[in-house]
Amino acid sequence: MRDVIIIGSGPAGWTAAIYTARAGLNPLLIASSVEAGGELMKTTEVENYPGFPEGLMGPDLMANFQAQAERFGTETLLDDVVEVDLRGDVKIVKTGGGKTFEAKTVILATGAAYRELGLPREKELSGHGVSWCATCDGFFFRQKTIAVVGGGDSAMEEANFLTRFADKVYLIHRRDSFKASKIMADRALNNPKIEVIWNSEVAELHGEMKLSGVTLRNTVDGSTSELEIEGLFIAVGNDPRVWLVEDQVELTAEKFIKVEGRSSKTTLPGVFAAGDVIDPTYRQAITAAASGCVAALDAEHYLNDH
């Protein structure tokens, strides 16, 4: 019987692991077999995480998190959680590798997944011109013309990063202004390789074996136009990964895990949630890490009281 099992290995999960390990709770952190490290593994330079004035790469930051957690005794398992039963006093966690664990408390730090546009052939062309990860795939688009869809900080970062490789980057946004922070928007607007296409959305993908272009629809007058591109990077937000627990814990109207006030307490005793899976607003590495700290302290207090 474990004191704590942490599901997820982003900043929230690793911070929860650091705090629970230092409290002597010997946490087991179950990281994904394919996506260990969370979304920061797909991020380029992180400039706004305190303590690193020169910035550092997302994967390096996550490696530091993991090393610190394991230094204090966190046990890490690279496997996928496929089923949980969190309703009883004993929490049951099953993995794709066939292992079953029991725990007194569980911290859910499952994060959020990239959102798709919902277009026909989107999945078919994934890896063949359509991507959700500039750092993963940018290298393949040297001296090509590509586009990024989105208007937030992630879209700005993707577009700027991709100008290292592509000759031309279109930035497609469905409105006439960005929701990104001013500093990130200004970087994109001032980059000579980036051209913004306002009030537009991607209506159709073209190409047989690989992407060759898109049809754009004007969101104001409904008119359509064609854009020849060889790559399309989608940065339109994320959806919380709640499928494991959506029938067990209460969710918000936006389908994030509901927690009590500023705590990490879910509607199930002994079950706590942290990071992007509870946060539709801020979604920063530092807020996720802080949330992981809250979850660890809540779990420790729960164990002390029981």
Side-chain angles (χ1 to χ4, degrees):
M1 172 78 71
R2 303 269 179 168
D3 283 323
V4 182
I5 290 178
I6 300 163
I7 304 174
S9 56
W14 285 123
T15 303
I18 291 167
Y19 273 78
T20 51
R22 290 186 75 251
L25 299 177
N26 303 312
L28 169 65
L29 184 144
I30 305 178
S32 167
S33 61
V34 227
E35 296 182 327
E39 298 302 310
L40 277 181
M41 296 298 288
K42 304 167 184 175
T43 302
T44 53
E45 191 170 5
V46 179
E47 298 178 317
N48 55 4
Y49 200 88
F52 299 93
E54 303 303 318
L56 77 171
M57 299 298 284
D60 293 335
L61 179 59
M62 296 319 301
N64 289 347
F65 271 81
Q66 180 172 354
Q68 189 172 358
E70 291 178 344
R71 172 193 167 199
F72 293 115
T74 298
E75 180 183 346
T76 305
L77 176 64
L78 295 177
D79 202 347
D80 297 300
V81 177
V82 295
E83 184 182 346
V84 296
D85 187 349
L86 308 178
R87 289 164 285 208
D89 291 337
V90 177
K91 318 300 179 185
I92 310 296
V93 178
K94 298 181 180 180
T95 72
K99 295 184 177 180
T100 298
F101 299 95
E102 295 182 346
K104 299 173 186 175
T105 65
V106 166
I107 295 175
L108 301 167
T110 47
Y114 290 123
R115 186 174 299 156
E116 298 180 357
L117 296 177
L119 296 172
R121 306 190 63 235
E122 187 173 355
K123 286 186 173 66
E124 179 186 338
L125 289 170
S126 174
H128 301 279
V130 176
S131 174
W132 287 262
C133 179
T135 53
C136 309
D137 301 327
F139 177 83
F140 301 111
F141 293 89
R142 288 184 179 276
Q143 300 179 317
K144 297 186 184 297
T145 298
I146 61 178
V148 174
V149 182
D153 278 355
S154 294
M156 304 303 116
E157 182 182 10
E158 299 265 286
N160 276 299
F161 176 76
L162 288 165
T163 59
R164 300 183 190 182
F165 308 102
D167 286 342
K168 175 83 172 183
V169 178
Y170 290 101
L171 190 47
I172 303 166
H173 186 44
R174 58 184 296 111
R175 298 183 177 84
D176 59 4
S177 63
F178 293 132
K179 62 178 180 180
S181 60
K182 187 177 187 303
I183 186 171
M184 295 298 289
D186 286 346
R187 283 183 189 176
L189 292 169
N190 294 328
N191 191 316
K193 280 191 173 183
I194 296 176
E195 179 181 337
V196 181
I197 303 178
W198 301 105
N199 297 317
S200 296
E201 61 186 5
V202 178
E204 193 174 346
L205 304 174
H206 302 299
E208 293 304 319
M209 301 302 292
K210 61 180 182 178
L211 185 76
S212 61
V214 297
T215 297
L216 298 179
R217 180 187 299 115
N218 187 287
T219 56
V220 177
D221 60 23
S223 61
T224 60
S225 59
E226 302 301 316
L227 182 67
E228 291 186 8
I229 52 173
E230 294 175 84
L232 181 69
F233 289 80
I234 301 169
V236 293
N238 299 268
D239 293 313
R241 294 187 176 100
V242 296
W243 68 270
L244 268 176
V245 297
E246 59 188 345
D247 60 341
Q248 298 183 46
V249 301
E250 187 176 342
L251 305 180
T252 68
E254 297 167 296
K255 301 300 180 184
F256 289 79
I257 295 177
K258 183 178 181 179
V259 293
E260 180 184 315
R262 295 185 62 188
S263 79
S264 67
K265 300 173 185 176
T266 71
T267 48
L268 288 178
V271 179
F272 308 92
D276 285 359
V277 76
I278 68 170
D279 178 16
T281 307
Y282 300 105
R283 299 190 57 257
Q284 300 294 307
I286 190 167
T287 52
S291 180
C293 166
V294 169
L297 295 176
D298 284 343
E300 183 183 357
H301 295 156
Y302 175 88
L303 289 167
N304 288 339
D305 291 342
H306 293 77

